[in-house]
Amino acid sequence: MDSKRLGYAFTLLAILIFSLQDAISKHLGSLYPPVFIAMLRFWAFGAFALVMGARGHGGLKAAVATKRPFLQVLRGVLLAFQIVVTITAFSTVGLAHSQAILSSGPIFVALLSMPLLGERVGWRRWTAIGVGLCGVLIVIDPADSSFDAGVLLPLAGALMFALYVIATRLVSRDDPASTSFFYIGVAGAAALSLVGPFFWTGLAPADWFWMGLLCITGMSSHYFLIRAYDLLDAAAVQPLTYLQVVLAAVVGITVFGETLNLNTVIGSVIVVGAGIFTVWRESIVARRRAREIAARDQTGK
């Protein structure tokens, strides 16, 4: 299998595992405190990050070395508590509805990249951002008389994940991916260990199996996604990740008995379309910028 096909295989495998992970998170999050579930998951993730760091080139010393320590720790903390918020949303709002709102993450990344990264956004991406935000409003439907403020949880999760992505882009300018992966696991595990023990709850014997499976899916999904990004451009990977919205709807309806209203379906289509366009447009701009820099360097020579 050539590298491109292997990259797509890793992407699809990661998406399937993420969907299984979300279903298990919803199950456990409805029975136990989400922060407790996230803490156990990050303990396994942190141990995995330590092992991967130790096995990498230069060992743990190289994995720990960073030029942006504050941002690296902030990334781990952001992702850890974003997962707590997401698990809470799955158990209170529903898997399908939550994923529809969480899919707006790339739109918020584009919006926040201007003030936080100093990136310029043209009228095409501005249009996509505006359309995507309209899609989010359709899903949330704040004008409905039966509006549930709980839908703000996945919206908060989408914003937190966008901040995590922005921080990741910032640290990628100075640190390798192996260092960033190390800090996700270790910093996230450390942050949740400060809070999670106060919510300690005994797991039923059968739920230890689900907890173990959640830890395995949490590690393997990130590993396969990293391998996918090693082999493919973000513009090729990101659109496929929206399959998770479809899988979440299927699992939510068939396994958990959730229902989808017309607003959620229409809003999801709009958000996904706007997100795919935003990612595609960012890749076009990035390639153009790379060509300009290469031409400038060649002229300088």
Side-chain angles (χ1 to χ4, degrees):
M1 187 180 293
D2 60 47
S3 61
K4 192 171 184 178
R5 289 182 180 178
L6 189 60
Y8 281 120
F10 281 139
T11 303
L12 293 174
L13 188 56
I15 292 166
L16 288 172
I17 296 173
F18 273 125
S19 298
L20 175 60
Q21 176 184 302
D22 291 345
I24 299 171
S25 295
K26 176 177 171 60
H27 167 68
L28 292 175
S30 63
L31 300 174
Y32 306 99
V35 67
F36 168 65
I37 299 301
M39 179 185 69
L40 294 183
R41 173 179 160 181
F42 261 87
W43 281 355
F45 192 4
F48 180 63
L50 283 169
V51 171
M52 294 295 289
R55 293 182 58 186
H57 180 70
L60 285 176
K61 185 177 180 180
V64 173
T66 173
K67 297 179 181 178
R68 311 292 289 270
F70 174 78
L71 269 180
Q72 288 286 17
V73 172
L74 178 64
R75 286 176 61 252
V77 174
L78 268 174
L79 185 61
F81 284 99
Q82 189 268 347
I83 288 175
V84 174
V85 170
T86 300
I87 294 175
T88 306
F90 287 162
S91 58
T92 57
V93 179
L95 191 61
H97 205 165
S98 294
Q99 277 293 0
I101 299 171
L102 287 167
S103 65
S104 63
I107 296 168
F108 288 117
V109 170
L111 186 63
L112 294 173
S113 65
M114 291 178 286
L116 298 180
L117 294 177
E119 293 184 0
R120 295 174 59 188
V121 175
W123 67 270
R124 295 178 183 85
R125 278 189 287 172
W126 265 119
T127 303
I129 290 169
V131 171
L133 292 177
C134 288
V136 173
L137 286 175
I138 291 173
V139 175
I140 293 175
D141 196 11
D144 189 354
S145 58
S146 60
F147 173 71
D148 181 7
V151 296
L152 298 179
L153 277 172
L155 184 62
L159 283 168
M160 291 172 72
F161 190 75
L163 288 171
Y164 161 78
V165 172
I166 294 293
T168 300
R169 289 186 180 181
L170 284 171
V171 298
S172 67
R173 297 172 179 176
D174 300 300
D175 294 338
S178 56
T179 295
S180 295
F181 182 78
F182 174 83
Y183 277 95
I184 291 174
V186 175
L192 288 175
S193 296
L194 298 175
V195 182
F198 294 103
F199 296 87
W200 190 275
T201 308
L203 289 174
D207 289 332
W208 277 111
F209 166 78
W210 293 114
M211 190 67 241
L213 189 57
L214 180 62
C215 292
I216 293 171
T217 56
M219 293 182 289
S220 58
S221 58
H222 282 90
Y223 172 77
F224 286 126
L225 194 60
I226 288 171
R227 290 297 308 275
Y229 277 114
D230 283 340
L231 299 170
L232 297 172
D233 292 335
V237 175
Q238 186 66 49
L240 289 176
T241 62
Y242 282 113
L243 287 173
Q244 199 172 342
V245 180
V246 178
L247 292 174
V250 172
V251 172
I253 293 170
T254 59
V255 178
F256 297 105
E258 298 176 5
T259 57
L260 289 178
N261 57 35
L262 187 60
N263 274 45
T264 302
V265 175
I266 294 175
S268 298
V269 171
I270 293 173
V271 170
V272 169
I276 291 174
F277 179 83
T278 300
V279 173
W280 173 78
R281 188 61 194 170
E282 284 181 351
S283 69
I284 295 295
V285 173
R287 289 195 197 105
R288 183 188 301 160
R289 190 180 298 122
R291 286 196 299 267
E292 290 173 354
I293 292 173
R296 199 181 308 128
D297 291 343
Q298 193 170 14
T299 303
K301 291 178 181 179

